[in-house]
Amino acid sequence: MTSDTLLKCVLSFQELIGTRYIIHLGRSGKHVSFEIKIEKEDCHHLMGIHYLTDRPDRRSREKIFDDIVSSEEYRNWLISSEMWTDELEDRVLCTALLSDLLDDNATIIRYNPKRLSFYSRIKAEYLFTHKDFVFTNISEVQKTDEQTADIYLFIDKKEDSDLRFCKSIFPKKNHDYTEYQAVWTLLYKEKIKPDGTDNILYCHNNYNPQELINP
């Protein structure tokens, strides 16, 4: 991966900062609702920068994000890490698709890692799965090879609020994280931009989104 490619992916995330998604789900007569908010600090874990243990940086994740955006030298320092694996690169590239993924009416799972037939360290509340998304390998900020892939987007609850955040993202490879999981029906999805502009992305037939629904 080049410095320019990393910058392109981070700038794609930057365009979403402050955006909120209101999600309503239903299953077997039960209803839940939650709000996802895109914040600068979340990009660090989403891209997997925390795995670069040979590139320690104890500053806040917001300051690290700002340096990735503004400093080519800092980007080159990150991508030269011995821990910069193909799997981490996949996460970075998937982050560039985040806006499209969140706007998409994905299959939504109430995620429970204990149900999986394999061990996973991922702890999350929900899993959004996206079938056959165009997964692009980017070289020098140009599309050189395209293929479809199933993409997993894990959503979790923030420790200090009721908001949810995008925790982890990567394409499906050897493991199926959807096995034995409970799929919920999407009832309503609304996207609210930082300037207050809102767009109803989906509303299920005969569903009244004005009803108060508690998680």
Side-chain angles (χ1 to χ4, degrees):
M1 175 172 285
T2 67
S3 170
D4 285 345
T5 302
L6 175 56
L7 177 60
K8 177 182 174 66
C9 295
V10 172
L11 291 178
S12 295
F13 181 91
Q14 187 177 50
E15 292 178 359
L16 270 178
I17 293 176
T19 301
R20 296 180 292 129
Y21 288 84
I22 311 298
I23 309 289
H24 292 194
L25 305 174
R27 175 182 166 88
S28 302
K30 298 180 180 179
H31 298 81
V32 298
S33 67
F34 57 90
E35 178 179 327
I36 301 171
K37 186 175 182 182
I38 311 302
E39 297 185 298
K40 185 187 295 187
E41 64 180 17
D42 302 331
C43 187
H44 191 279
H45 194 282
L46 190 66
M47 283 190 165
I49 303 299
H50 59 294
Y51 288 120
L52 305 181
T53 54
D54 59 342
R55 295 290 183 265
D57 190 336
R58 298 185 181 279
R59 297 176 302 160
S60 70
R61 293 182 174 184
E62 293 90 340
K63 290 182 179 179
I64 292 173
F65 181 93
D66 290 340
D67 269 5
I68 297 175
V69 171
S70 63
S71 172
E72 181 178 5
E73 180 180 0
Y74 189 81
R75 294 193 298 272
N76 284 328
W77 181 66
L78 291 178
I79 63 180
S80 65
S81 165
E82 293 184 359
M83 309 303 293
W84 192 280
T85 62
D86 290 341
E87 289 75 17
L88 188 145
E89 189 160 307
D90 283 345
R91 291 178 65 144
V92 173
L93 294 173
C94 281
T95 302
L97 302 174
L98 186 60
S99 179
D100 293 335
L101 293 170
L102 287 171
D103 289 357
D104 178 56
N105 290 331
T107 298
I108 301 179
I109 288 168
R110 191 68 179 260
Y111 180 66
N112 182 353
K114 294 181 179 180
R115 295 189 176 206
L116 299 172
S117 62
F118 56 91
Y119 174 73
S120 173
R121 292 183 299 174
I122 300 174
K123 309 299 181 185
E125 191 174 13
Y126 293 97
L127 167 59
F128 290 19
T129 65
H130 307 264
K131 299 288 273 185
D132 298 328
F133 238 78
V134 175
F135 185 66
T136 306
N137 293 318
I138 306 172
S139 177
E140 299 301 334
V141 203
Q142 293 182 351
K143 296 182 180 180
T144 59
D145 179 36
E146 290 188 353
Q147 59 182 334
T148 59
D150 297 351
I151 297 180
Y152 296 132
L153 173 60
F154 291 87
I155 306 295
D156 209 1
K157 186 177 180 180
K158 286 185 174 289
E159 294 183 358
D160 56 350
S161 75
D162 290 330
L163 293 172
R164 271 65 176 181
F165 70 103
C166 298
K167 185 175 188 177
S168 186
I169 187 171
F170 51 86
K172 179 181 177 181
K173 289 191 175 179
N174 298 323
H175 293 110
D176 182 2
Y177 287 84
T178 69
E179 64 177 13
Y180 311 121
Q181 301 293 311
V183 177
W184 284 64
T185 299
L186 177 63
L187 300 175
Y188 179 82
K189 182 191 288 186
E190 181 179 0
K191 180 179 183 178
I192 306 173
K193 295 182 179 180
D195 63 3
T197 305
D198 66 280
N199 181 20
I200 298 175
L201 300 176
Y202 178 78
C203 187
H204 195 280
N205 292 338
N206 302 318
Y207 177 69
N208 178 10
Q210 301 302 319
E211 297 175 358
L212 179 61
I213 301 178
N214 296 314

